[in-house]
Amino acid sequence: MKKRVYISLITSLLVIFFSGKALAQYTEYGGGLGMLTYTGDLSPKLRLKGWTPGLNAFYRMNVNNVVSVRLGLTAGKIKGDDQRAVDILGTNRDYSFDITLIEGSSVFEYYFLDYKHPHTNVYFSPYFFAGFGIFRTFGYDEARADFSKLQPVIPFGVGIKQLVGKRYAVGLEFGLRKTFFDYLDSVSDGDITLKNYQYGNPESKDWYYFAGFSITYILYEIPCPFRYVPNRYEYN
């Protein structure tokens, strides 16, 4: 079942890439720095503390002035611990984790302002994005890592983008990642090697988050001139 999901995701990425490339008015390359954190059994709520450094790189295809398709890679560390546990199970568990995560994703972006229009006086726009991806985790204690480290994920979030001249843009973004498993922190149901009672909530899936700053280089496509000849076109 999982193999079918991964094959479907990869196929969709390729279809979006080639169809988007054919439609794009211009393309963009970029990257940035940011921070990652997570919510799960060790940290049920999003906190200001516990964020760790991360980075990303992406390729954006602009379908029109307000819709884009973005292929991206995100990488960084995620960690958590029970030092601020608010329940007796967490206090007794006294567990922590520190892993590395790499994500590949494809998302659609919708810009609320037509800031790319040649006659506009607005050079920025907030936007919303959503899509799908796959992530891989590294660095678990192998004694606790009895699960697949390659998992699907649904990324979505909001951002704001500002043009800087005609060739560059800067942006701020906050993204949420919904996973479909409960082992990002390698804690779920009971671990009988430690204590014979439940240590986590297997019904509550883990999430992770990325907030960052990016710089984009805009590559305009120059159309090839042609002259019309009856019944055919000839390119110069």
Side-chain angles (χ1 to χ4, degrees):
M1 180 64 180
K2 287 186 177 180
K3 288 184 178 180
R4 291 182 181 178
V5 172
Y6 299 144
I7 292 172
S8 177
L9 290 176
I10 292 171
T11 302
S12 299
L13 282 171
L14 293 175
V15 170
I16 290 173
F17 176 80
F18 288 110
S19 63
K21 188 173 182 180
L23 294 172
Q25 295 175 340
Y26 53 87
T27 56
E28 304 176 14
Y29 299 86
L33 299 175
M35 304 288 285
L36 291 110
T37 191
Y38 109 109
T39 55
D41 291 305
L42 274 64
S43 180
K45 297 181 180 180
L46 194 61
R47 301 172 178 172
L48 293 177
K49 292 185 178 181
W51 292 77
T52 51
L55 54 86
N56 69 348
F58 54 85
Y59 172 59
R60 179 180 288 114
M61 299 166 287
N62 296 285
V63 178
N64 55 45
N65 282 358
V66 296
V67 176
S68 299
V69 178
R70 185 179 74 195
L71 306 180
L73 289 174
T74 302
K77 282 188 169 290
I78 294 178
K79 64 181 182 179
D81 59 62
D82 277 320
Q83 293 181 1
R84 303 181 67 182
V86 295
D87 59 82
I88 189 64
L89 294 182
T91 302
N92 290 337
R93 180 175 54 212
D94 193 24
Y95 177 68
S96 64
F97 77 101
D98 188 338
I99 62 169
T100 299
L101 180 147
I102 299 177
E103 170 198 285
S105 65
S106 174
V107 302
F108 288 91
E109 300 173 330
Y110 178 78
Y111 291 84
F112 295 98
L113 301 177
D114 187 2
Y115 73 105
K116 299 173 185 176
H117 194 282
H119 302 299
T120 186
N121 292 322
V122 177
Y123 301 104
F124 74 95
S125 178
Y127 64 91
F128 168 81
F129 70 90
F132 54 85
I134 298 173
F135 70 93
R136 175 68 160 84
T137 51
F138 305 85
Y140 286 109
D141 178 357
E142 291 302 319
R144 302 178 64 101
D146 186 20
F147 49 83
S148 174
K149 301 175 185 66
L150 185 67
Q151 295 285 338
V153 65
I154 301 296
F156 62 97
V158 295
I160 186 168
K161 186 175 173 183
Q162 168 75 52
L163 290 176
V164 181
K166 294 184 177 181
R167 287 290 185 182
Y168 294 93
V170 295
L172 293 173
E173 183 174 288
F174 176 73
L176 302 84
R177 268 67 170 180
K178 173 177 172 49
T179 74
F180 297 90
F181 81 139
D182 191 38
Y183 290 95
L184 193 61
D185 49 18
S186 73
V187 172
S188 185
D189 52 4
D191 185 346
I192 61 175
T193 64
L194 298 176
K195 287 185 181 295
N196 191 22
Y197 56 80
Q198 186 161 305
Y199 262 25
N201 179 7
E203 302 302 323
S204 177
K205 307 306 181 185
D206 295 337
W207 293 60
Y208 65 95
Y209 311 82
F210 179 81
F213 168 82
S214 65
I215 299 177
T216 302
Y217 176 72
I218 303 170
L219 180 63
Y220 290 92
E221 294 183 356
I222 302 175
C224 180
F226 63 88
R227 61 187 179 88
Y228 177 74
V229 178
N231 299 322
R232 71 179 188 274
Y233 289 96
E234 289 188 358
Y235 288 87
N236 295 326

